[in-house]
Amino acid sequence: MKIKLLLILFITLFAINIFAGSLTYSPDDKSYSISFPISWLIFEQDNGNTMLALAPEKKGDPFRETVLVTKEYVGNNTNIEFYLFNALKNIKNKYPSFVKEGEKNIIIDNIYAKEIKYSVEENGVRVNAKLIIVFTRGNALKFFFLSDQKDSKNFKNIFDEIQKSIKLR
């Protein structure tokens, strides 16, 4: 009887973990992995060079919080500072409303990275963004965390947990 009860308890706990967990994405080359809450939608484009994750829709909220990851082969002929300079120049050209709010050095899965916080205006909505750039194995990985200004505080903890889940190969 005790064995049956333990078996039922084990099966129940196993089922709960499967359905209450998170979604983990990794491109085919396994250059990184990143996890999201189970309710998010994940899309892949460009043979895994672009990944888009969207938070669930909220009624009356026109902006869906987003995590965008792009991977670009850069070889060994550039450094992260130069790459960051060009990435920010491209963002500034696309969004004249660009405002840089901070920059710092961070570590992602034991690898040096740059983190930039900024905001832009898009379709009448002020979007807060955090961009993390990390170089690994000749690739530049860019992780964008995007939320509208009014929901930024609500998504800070979620984005922090997503960021902590990043694993690099």
Side-chain angles (χ1 to χ4, degrees):
M1 181 70 173
K2 284 184 181 182
I3 293 176
K4 254 187 185 179
L5 186 58
L6 286 174
L7 186 57
I8 291 170
L9 181 61
F10 176 78
I11 291 170
T12 303
L13 289 174
F14 182 74
I16 288 170
N17 285 336
I18 289 174
F19 297 111
S22 60
L23 298 170
T24 299
Y25 170 81
S26 184
D28 287 343
D29 69 358
K30 307 288 187 228
S31 54
Y32 70 94
S33 68
I34 185 169
S35 297
F36 300 93
I38 198 87
S39 58
W40 286 49
L41 297 175
I42 298 174
F43 301 94
E44 181 183 90
Q45 298 174 339
D46 306 324
N47 296 322
N49 290 324
T50 303
M51 186 279 313
L52 177 69
L54 298 171
E57 283 186 89
K58 288 190 304 188
K59 192 173 184 171
D61 187 356
F63 188 87
R64 288 177 76 173
E65 279 58 34
T66 304
V67 175
L68 173 67
V69 182
T70 63
K71 180 176 59 173
E72 177 184 6
Y73 180 75
V74 294
N76 296 319
N77 296 328
T78 189
N79 66 47
I80 199 166
E81 301 294 335
F82 181 73
Y83 189 86
L84 172 62
F85 174 81
N86 285 322
L88 290 178
K89 187 168 88 172
N90 289 338
I91 294 169
K92 289 176 190 177
N93 288 339
K94 185 174 181 179
Y95 300 100
S97 61
F98 174 89
V99 175
K100 185 175 174 183
E101 296 168 359
E103 178 179 331
K104 65 181 180 179
N105 301 325
I106 63 170
I107 302 295
I108 296 290
D109 198 24
N110 295 317
I111 296 179
Y112 170 78
K114 295 294 279 188
E115 176 185 288
I116 299 85
K117 291 184 178 178
Y118 64 93
S119 63
V120 296
E121 186 92 17
E122 183 173 25
N123 299 325
V125 175
R126 192 78 190 162
V127 176
N128 289 342
K130 177 167 64 171
L131 166 61
I132 296 171
I133 299 176
V134 62
F135 280 16
T136 178
R137 298 183 183 241
N139 290 310
L141 295 172
K142 295 187 284 187
F143 297 86
F144 293 88
F145 298 83
L146 308 166
S147 64
D148 66 346
Q149 203 166 40
K150 70 179 179 68
D151 287 332
S152 286
K153 287 182 182 176
N154 298 338
F155 275 85
K156 183 189 179 321
N157 291 336
I158 295 170
F159 284 165
D160 287 348
E161 289 303 312
I162 294 169
Q163 180 178 332
K164 287 177 194 173
S165 79
I166 298 170
K167 300 294 178 222
L168 304 170
R169 182 176 80 149

